[in-house]
Amino acid sequence: MTVKERYRRVIEWFESSMPVAETELQYDNPYQLLVAVILSAQCTDKRVNMVTPPLFEAFPTADAMAAVSAEEIYPYIKSVSYPNNKARSLAGMARRLVDEFGGEVPADIDALMSLPGVGRKTANVILAVVFNRSAMAVDTHVFRVSERIGLTTNSKTPLATEKALVRNIPEEIIPKAHHWLILHGRYVCKARRPDCLNCGLTSVCRFYQKETKK
């Protein structure tokens, strides 16, 4: 099977089986999503969604968060992974957002990545979800699922995976494709024990074909 054919069949399956694919993080505006994505690093969306309502009530805007210290943010996020580091990132992010961007989340990847706590993955999530840009955020799920299915081959870095996916997925569906791969990795193609028996992609999946030949 050619790479082009594999992509075509994978996209067709997702289009029919998951026509609506969105982030599971709960937010009302770009600032809230940025905070939630920073908190979600190495942490479940479920946990983040438990933490953010009181956090957003206390700090409803970037200006409100910029006015406090990391130590004041910490109690609201202490149950997420790496709370000390994330409290510092949120405080720094909010101050820079206010000082450099008037409190508004920028729609530029370099500007986003200049914010404390924001790497390429987080920046691409914001671009895709908030601004509907053709940005492919590669987290551990996207990285794993892409390689297992065969959308990438021996990809060594998230950036290499991102470039391969963007090169082969139609631009207009890249924002949705990002969520397809995340949700598939979260609920079906799990890290330790992929649920191949309940996966509709076995006919095109490189991992499954190898496993069945053993």
Side-chain angles (χ1 to χ4, degrees):
M1 182 184 302
T2 65
V3 171
K4 184 176 180 179
E5 174 66 9
R6 178 173 275 115
Y7 269 90
R8 183 186 67 78
R9 291 175 62 178
V10 168
I11 290 170
E12 286 178 352
W13 182 80
F14 275 122
E15 286 281 20
S16 63
S17 65
M18 202 186 300
V20 177
E22 301 172 334
T23 181
E24 293 185 314
L25 292 170
Q26 297 170 3
Y27 69 100
D28 292 326
N29 54 57
Y31 156 74
Q32 289 188 358
L33 180 62
L34 180 55
V35 170
V37 177
I38 290 173
L39 291 175
S40 72
Q42 295 178 286
C43 187
T44 66
D45 287 3
K46 182 179 180 180
R47 169 58 57 184
V48 173
N49 289 337
M50 293 170 64
V51 165
T52 49
L55 178 68
F56 293 150
E57 184 176 354
F59 312 112
T61 64
D63 290 86
M65 186 171 282
V68 301
S69 66
E71 289 73 22
E72 291 172 275
I73 296 171
Y74 173 84
Y76 294 91
I77 67 168
K78 63 183 180 180
S79 65
V80 305
S81 59
Y82 308 105
N84 288 297
N85 290 340
K86 289 178 180 178
R88 288 192 291 269
S89 291
L90 290 179
M93 176 277 293
R95 285 194 290 270
R96 186 166 180 83
L97 207 58
V98 171
D99 293 343
E100 300 292 331
F101 304 103
E104 299 295 322
V105 176
D108 174 80
I109 190 167
D110 292 325
L112 284 165
M113 290 178 64
S114 74
L115 300 171
V118 178
R120 188 175 183 88
K121 185 210 77 173
T122 297
N124 277 334
V125 170
I126 300 301
L127 292 175
V129 176
V130 174
F131 301 106
N132 200 36
R133 300 284 181 82
S134 56
M136 174 59 70
V138 178
D139 67 355
T140 56
H141 294 303
V142 174
F143 189 81
R144 178 182 71 256
V145 171
S146 298
E147 190 69 17
R148 276 185 179 168
I149 293 173
L151 300 179
T152 58
T153 303
N154 296 322
S155 184
K156 302 299 183 185
T157 65
L159 182 58
T161 296
E162 176 189 332
K163 289 180 177 180
L165 295 173
V166 169
R167 185 168 60 248
N168 290 285
I169 297 173
E171 183 176 349
E172 66 275 11
I173 65 170
I174 285 175
K176 182 163 64 172
H178 154 70
H179 295 301
W180 283 340
L181 294 169
I182 286 178
L183 295 172
H184 193 65
R186 186 172 291 166
Y187 298 112
V188 181
C189 195
K190 301 173 186 178
R192 292 186 179 180
R193 189 175 298 177
D195 188 7
C196 296
L197 292 178
N198 291 305
C199 178
L201 289 171
T202 53
S203 64
V204 297
C205 178
R206 185 174 60 200
F207 172 84
Y208 181 78
Q209 301 301 325
K210 287 182 178 179
E211 288 297 303
T212 55
K213 289 179 180 178
K214 289 182 179 180

